Amino acid sequence: MKYKYRHQELYKDKKIDVKANSRSELIEKVIRKKALIDSQTVDSDMKLQDFCTLYLETYKRDVVSASWYADLCLISSKLIDGVGNKPVGKIKPIEVQSFLNSCSHLSDSSIKKITDFTKQIFSEAEKNGATTYKFDLIAPKGKSEVQGRSLTRSEQDALLRAIKDHRGEIFISLIYYCGLRPSEASALIWKDIDLEKNILHVNKSLKKDGTIGSTKTASGVRDIPIPISLSTLLKKHVRSPFSLVCEQRNGHYTKSSIRKLWTSVKKEANIDARLYDIRHTYCTNLEKAGVPINIASRLMGHSDISITSKIYTHASDEAVEIARRCIEKVSC
């Protein structure tokens, strides 16, 4: 369809191209188009904190989970502290890059989250007319991630001896026998445990703010079989359905109390390992027991089977060594 009139112009760095059959219609369309651009344009004097808040409220609050939203708010605070709460239009790329470089003491995964968020913020600032700068930001190299490991058989035996009748026996046992994350063990209630079918249902975890909420991802919701050893222990301590399985005098375990608990246990067991290595051990024990990797991934609550495969590779190395010794024994 051909129109009699057409108007083109660049308005606040936005291209306007309007067509109409009459002058009055054309003028009305141009006014509406400019009003729309005005509503989407952010004043360059807007402070960084206000812009970050606007961005999070507009694009993230109803899109991501509550825990991920809280993480983004924390990253936003780091960005504001690092760059300064200046008008967005006056912040230069070199200042933002300098902030990112100051994060090099963090892990690569943390740096990626911060860099991705920072890029999104200044990309939106540019789109909305709050800045005229181009932000070609580069993520700095962070420190290497601490690699997990599995406990040896002797270390596992030492651990089980150390937690016997220990105040953290149930907590550590849930991680060792069911592969729970420490945050999941902290949030578990007796209603989540079926001691007749020996099944444990995971659907909650301890959040960074110290509260208990739903698991971070859908894959975290899962059913896990309870071994006889753990079932026997739990039956001795079972209480009302909505009370915590792992409870302190002042309520559920916190990240601080978990650290203190693990420091006490590993000292008693005389092992040098992270608490998360107990969960890692559960995964390698699944492989040694012949559990298929897709089932192991589901039991671990991994969102990607490649995460499980990395742990299974570690276990495979040990399996190869066991096979070597068996072959040597037979051949000799």
Side-chain angles (χ1 to χ4, degrees):
M1 179 179 178
K2 291 187 177 181
Y3 293 91
K4 290 183 180 180
Y5 301 94
R6 183 177 184 180
H7 176 81
Q8 291 179 300
E9 72 168 285
L10 198 63
Y11 180 73
K12 293 186 177 180
D13 294 326
K14 303 285 185 179
K15 186 178 179 181
I16 291 180
D17 188 352
V18 178
K19 300 173 185 178
N21 287 315
S22 67
R23 287 185 181 277
S24 59
E25 183 187 2
L26 185 72
I27 293 171
E28 186 180 339
K29 284 187 174 181
V30 171
I31 291 172
R32 285 205 305 265
K33 192 73 174 177
K34 287 185 176 181
L36 179 61
I37 292 173
D38 287 338
S39 70
Q40 294 175 338
T41 302
V42 178
D43 193 332
S44 61
D45 289 332
M46 178 180 276
K47 296 290 185 69
L48 180 60
Q49 183 172 356
D50 294 330
F51 186 81
C52 286
T53 301
L54 178 63
Y55 170 78
L56 288 168
E57 290 289 332
T58 306
Y59 294 104
K60 298 298 180 182
R61 180 172 287 281
D62 298 322
V63 177
V64 299
S65 66
S67 59
W68 183 225
Y69 184 83
D71 286 347
L72 292 177
C73 289
L74 185 60
I75 294 172
S76 173
S77 298
K78 288 181 182 292
L79 172 61
I80 295 162
D81 290 341
V83 177
N85 191 26
K86 308 173 185 177
V88 177
K90 294 183 179 179
I91 298 173
K92 298 178 180 178
I94 194 169
E95 295 177 279
V96 182
Q97 186 62 58
S98 178
F99 156 69
L100 290 177
N101 292 346
S102 71
C103 298
S104 60
H105 64 288
L106 302 174
S107 65
D108 284 330
S109 59
S110 295
I111 288 174
K112 184 179 185 306
K113 291 178 184 176
I114 294 171
T115 303
D116 288 348
F117 177 81
T118 303
K119 284 181 176 179
Q120 290 168 18
I121 285 291
F122 288 98
S123 173
E124 287 301 320
E126 184 185 349
K127 286 180 187 176
N128 286 278
T131 181
T132 57
Y133 291 109
K134 297 287 184 182
F135 288 83
D136 297 320
L137 303 171
I138 302 170
K141 184 173 177 57
K143 68 178 183 180
S144 300
E145 299 268 12
V146 176
Q147 293 298 315
R149 75 174 184 91
S150 297
L151 271 63
T152 63
R153 184 66 259 173
S154 61
E155 286 177 324
Q156 292 179 52
D157 291 340
L159 173 70
L160 295 176
R161 287 194 299 270
I163 64 174
K164 180 68 175 174
D165 298 324
H166 189 280
R167 60 186 171 84
E169 182 177 12
I170 294 179
F171 183 80
I172 301 296
S173 295
L174 285 166
I175 301 173
Y176 179 77
Y177 287 112
C178 293
L180 297 191
R181 296 176 176 90
S183 59
E184 293 169 340
S186 301
L188 204 66
I189 60 175
W190 287 102
K191 186 176 182 292
D192 299 324
I193 298 175
D194 186 339
L195 289 174
E196 290 185 7
K197 296 180 180 179
N198 279 333
I199 293 291
L200 185 154
H201 181 62
V202 181
N203 61 2
K204 299 180 290 298
S205 67
L206 176 68
K207 303 301 178 184
K208 289 185 177 180
D209 62 2
T211 61
I212 290 176
S214 58
T215 55
K216 192 168 185 178
T217 61
S219 56
V221 178
R222 60 202 190 275
D223 289 334
I224 303 172
I226 303 173
I228 296 299
S229 299
L230 178 58
S231 177
T232 303
L233 172 65
L234 292 173
K235 285 175 181 176
K236 294 178 182 177
H237 297 85
V238 67
R239 288 180 292 126
S240 58
F242 293 99
S243 59
L244 291 164
V245 177
C246 304
E247 192 171 15
Q248 302 181 109
R249 291 177 185 173
N250 57 345
H252 64 75
Y253 278 98
T254 63
K255 298 211 170 190
S256 174
S257 59
I258 290 172
R259 281 195 297 270
K260 290 178 182 177
L261 170 65
W262 178 239
T263 299
S264 167
V265 169
K266 70 178 184 178
K267 182 178 180 181
E268 179 69 26
N270 193 27
I271 56 176
D272 182 18
R274 303 174 308 150
L275 178 57
Y276 226 78
D277 291 337
I278 309 304
R279 173 172 150 82
H280 202 103
T281 301
Y282 172 78
C283 191
T284 55
N285 283 345
L286 289 177
E287 198 224 16
K288 291 174 187 176
V291 176
I293 189 170
N294 61 316
I295 302 299
S297 183
R298 191 168 70 191
L299 293 175
M300 291 290 288
H302 286 155
S303 57
D304 190 332
I305 198 170
S306 64
I307 301 172
T308 320
S309 67
K310 290 177 182 177
I311 303 175
Y312 260 43
T313 300
H314 296 165
S316 295
D317 293 341
E318 186 176 338
V320 168
E321 177 59 23
I322 293 171
R324 184 189 65 77
R325 291 200 299 267
C326 290
I327 292 170
E328 284 185 350
K329 184 176 180 181
V330 173
S331 60
C332 290

